[in-house]
């Protein structure tokens, strides 16, 4: 039943505290506000004069974070993690295999994700999961990233991109001859193979060149391109303290023992395991700050809008067009566009990773990129809404 109009909340002018006879109180309030404001300005000016370090306020924020890290180090919640982390060691181990020795079609990732691309590997009726992952009871079980992009998107992240360490050429099989490689490694601690770069980089724009004072991520560089992956699994420890895992395989297989796994068909796996992929160029500019990268692909405005969906495998530099990953077929949903993101967004994500129960320290630096997947190893089931599926078997 609708309440009678009399019982609606009183309009502003009927609230006693705001009536004219309380003008004095209002006046006193604004007066004290002004006093406070002046005090704040004086304080700020004094601080400026006293401090030789312009980053003193951010240093204070960081030291607040360090306090939490100290708490973590001494907390029982983490001290007993080896016993309490129910996903530890859940990874089912499948070695890489020579691609030519694979008996069943084992589509690989990361492939060309340019709109219109269709791979040459006939995967029959196998389809990727085209729904938002949460609608299939999947949750993110990890986040990690690669130096450069593993995927390839013409005009977004390809051989024409650039960064402080240059770019890599398109592979020979893609029918293009480029001299000069520029395959310098950016990360001297974790020497890794790099991928393609985005086209945002401008060496004359300070947001691509001003170093950032990294606190939590390791070996990262402003101006560089990184491809972020969020593996999702319906067998993850979703909604529990053990949800995020390193290695991510522990998270993917957390509630999937081998006996159960062996009963699954290819489509069951492609429907229940998926990865979000999104490519970023890091800028030193807080107007590109996004506070919650650990959660999954950023879907907002132009971000996470133009999505390429197909089935592939796990990635990384140990796989190539000779050595294939056997973790397939899984769904990939990849943002075709490259976005700028602040260095602080990544550093906040690394901080959040340090706060998980499982030790995610092996994922705080960029991993190597796989070489671009050859057409022969890329599935032919890319999702194009409204398109009639090509049937290569007929
Ligand atoms: C990627 O796919 C697009 C669209 O099909 C195509 O034009 C381009 O040549 C492909 N590039 C590579 C390297 O495979
Ligand atoms: C950067 O500035 C220099 C000197 O003004 C100019 O020659 C060069 O073309 C600029 N580079 C880019 C990428 O804009």
């Amino acid at each position: 039943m609708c309440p009678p109009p009399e019982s609606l909340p009183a309009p502003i002018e009927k609230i006693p505290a705001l009536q004219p006879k309380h003008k004095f109180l209002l006046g006193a309030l604004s007066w004290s506000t002004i006093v406070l404001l002046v005090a704040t300005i004086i304080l700020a000016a004094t601080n400026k004069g006293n401090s030789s370090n312009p980053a003193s306020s951010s240093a204070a924020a960081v030291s607040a974070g360090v306090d939490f890290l100290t708490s973590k180090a001494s907390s029982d919640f983490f001290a007993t993690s080896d016993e309490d982390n129910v996903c530890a060691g859940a990874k089912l181990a499948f070695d890489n295999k020579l691609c030519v020795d694979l008996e069943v079609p084992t589509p690989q990732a990361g492939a060309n994700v340019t709109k219109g691309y269709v791979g040459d590997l006939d995967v029959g009726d196998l389809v990727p999961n085209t729904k938002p992952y949460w609608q299939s009871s999947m949750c993110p079980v990890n986040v990690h990233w690669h130096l450069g992009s593993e995927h390839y998107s013409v005009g977004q992240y390809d051989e024409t991109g650039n960064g402080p360490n240059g770019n890599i050429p398109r592979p020979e099989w893609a029918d293009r001859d480029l001299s000069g490689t520029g395959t310098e490694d950016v990360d001297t601690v974790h020497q890794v193979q790099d991928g393609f770069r985005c086209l945002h980089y401008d060496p004359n724009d300070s947001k691509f060149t001003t170093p950032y004072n990294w606190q939590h991520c390791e070996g990262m560089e402003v101006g560089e391109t990184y491809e972020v992956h969020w593996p999702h699994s319906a067998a993850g420890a979703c909604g529990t303290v053990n949800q995020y895992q390193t290695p991510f395989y522990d998270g993917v297989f957390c509630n999937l023992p081998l006996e159960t796994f062996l009963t699954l068909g290819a489509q069951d796996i492609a429907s229940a395991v998926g990865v979000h992929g999104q490519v970023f160029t890091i800028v030193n500019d807080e107007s590109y700050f996004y506070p919650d990268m650990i959660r999954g692909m950023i879907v907002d405005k132009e971000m996470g809008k133009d999505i390429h969906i197909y089935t592939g495998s796990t990635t990384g530099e140990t796989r190539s067009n000779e050595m294939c990953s056997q973790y397939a077929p899984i769904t990939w949903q990849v943002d075709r566009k490259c976005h700028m993101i602040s260095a602080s967004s990544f550093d906040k994500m690394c901080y959040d990773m340090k706060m998980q129960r499982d030790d995610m320290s092996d994922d705080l630096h960029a991993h190597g990129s796989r070489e671009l997947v050859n057409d022969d190893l890329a599935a032919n089931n890319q999702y194009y809404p409204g398109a009639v599926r090509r049937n290569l078997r007929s």
Side-chain angles (χ1 to χ4, degrees):
M1 287 291 283
C2 284
E6 298 81 53
S7 71
L8 286 173
I12 294 286
E13 61 271 18
K14 286 194 180 154
I15 298 174
L18 293 178
Q19 276 177 18
K21 64 176 173 182
H22 292 279
K23 256 190 186 143
F24 170 74
L25 179 65
L26 274 181
L29 260 178
S30 27
W31 181 236
S32 64
T33 307
I34 289 166
V35 171
L36 247 168
L37 192 68
V38 169
T40 309
I41 290 166
I42 291 172
L43 206 70
T46 317
N47 271 347
K48 213 175 184 180
N50 286 348
S51 170
S52 55
N53 176 10
S56 62
S57 65
S58 67
V62 165
S63 72
V66 168
D67 285 342
F68 287 130
L69 288 172
T70 310
S71 305
K72 177 189 169 176
S74 49
S75 160
D76 283 350
F77 179 69
F78 300 104
T80 55
S81 76
D82 276 357
E83 297 139 43
D84 293 344
N85 174 9
V86 297
C87 305
K91 171 181 180 175
L92 300 180
F94 302 107
D95 290 338
N96 293 338
K97 198 167 175 178
L98 281 171
C99 303
V100 291
D101 289 350
L102 293 168
E103 286 123 41
V104 285
T106 311
Q108 301 288 300
N112 189 346
V113 294
T114 310
K115 197 167 221 155
Y117 179 80
V118 177
D120 285 346
L121 181 67
D122 183 5
V123 293
D125 295 328
L126 181 75
V127 289
N129 189 335
T130 57
K131 292 188 287 190
Y133 292 151
W134 61 268
Q135 287 185 12
S136 305
S137 299
M138 294 189 226
C139 64
V141 294
N142 167 277
V143 60
H144 65 267
W145 50 94
H146 299 263
L147 175 61
S149 74
E150 297 196 296
H151 286 93
Y152 178 94
S153 181
V154 172
Q156 291 290 326
Y157 33 97
D158 62 16
E159 74 279 8
T160 68
N162 201 6
N165 303 285
N167 199 2
I168 61 164
R170 199 159 85 146
E172 253 170 54
W173 57 259
D175 212 10
R176 171 102 184 271
D177 184 30
L178 282 176
S179 45
T181 59
T183 50
E184 257 179 275
D185 276 323
V186 55
D187 185 342
T188 48
V189 187
H190 309 280
Q191 289 282 327
V192 295
Q193 176 171 305
D194 63 358
F196 298 103
R197 300 304 188 305
C198 299
L199 279 66
H200 297 300
Y201 183 73
D202 176 355
N204 292 346
D205 181 340
S206 64
K207 70 169 175 284
F208 296 103
T209 55
T210 311
Y212 179 77
N213 183 17
W214 296 92
Q215 300 294 316
H216 303 293
C217 298
E218 296 163 5
M220 305 287 287
E221 192 172 2
V222 170
E224 262 300 1
T225 292
Y226 298 95
E227 176 168 337
V228 182
H229 291 162
W230 293 267
H232 284 62
S233 172
C238 298
T240 78
V241 294
N242 295 311
Q243 184 172 325
Y244 281 85
Q245 295 284 325
T246 294
F248 68 79
Y249 296 97
D250 280 357
V252 169
F253 292 110
C254 187
N255 292 312
L256 191 59
L258 185 62
E259 312 84 78
T260 317
F261 178 77
L262 293 174
T263 66
L264 299 178
Q267 187 61 61
D268 297 321
I269 296 167
S271 301
V273 178
V275 187
H276 274 159
Q278 202 163 35
V279 180
F280 300 96
T281 293
I282 295 198
V283 293
N284 194 337
D285 180 342
E286 294 314 311
S287 61
Y288 294 90
F289 178 63
Y290 176 82
D292 209 8
M293 283 184 77
I294 195 172
R295 188 201 290 256
M297 174 190 282
I298 306 174
V299 181
D300 185 45
K301 303 189 184 88
E302 286 308 302
M303 302 174 103
K305 201 173 175 186
D306 186 13
I307 305 297
H308 190 92
I309 307 181
Y310 73 110
T311 59
S313 62
T314 57
T315 65
E317 63 185 347
T318 65
R319 283 99 192 197
S320 65
N321 289 318
E322 287 78 45
M323 261 307 172
C324 278
S325 164
Q326 291 203 77
Y327 294 97
I330 58 176
T331 289
W332 279 88
Q333 299 189 357
V334 182
D335 192 340
R336 292 191 182 102
K337 295 221 157 54
C338 174
H339 309 281
M340 289 189 269
I341 196 92
S342 73
S344 54
S345 309
F346 262 79
D347 221 25
K348 164 65 166 56
M349 168 168 62
C350 288
Y351 174 78
D352 289 339
M353 291 165 73
K354 288 179 175 179
M355 281 292 141
Q356 302 304 308
R357 165 177 268 176
D358 193 26
D359 177 5
M360 297 188 77
S361 53
D362 282 349
D363 284 328
L364 296 173
H365 65 268
H367 296 270
S369 285
R370 185 200 193 284
E371 66 180 340
L372 180 61
V373 172
N374 197 328
D375 296 338
D376 301 350
L377 296 171
N380 65 338
N381 61 1
Q382 283 74 9
Y383 174 68
Y384 293 108
V388 178
R389 178 84 188 280
R390 209 167 64 166
N391 190 348
L392 296 178
R393 289 173 307 163
S394 55

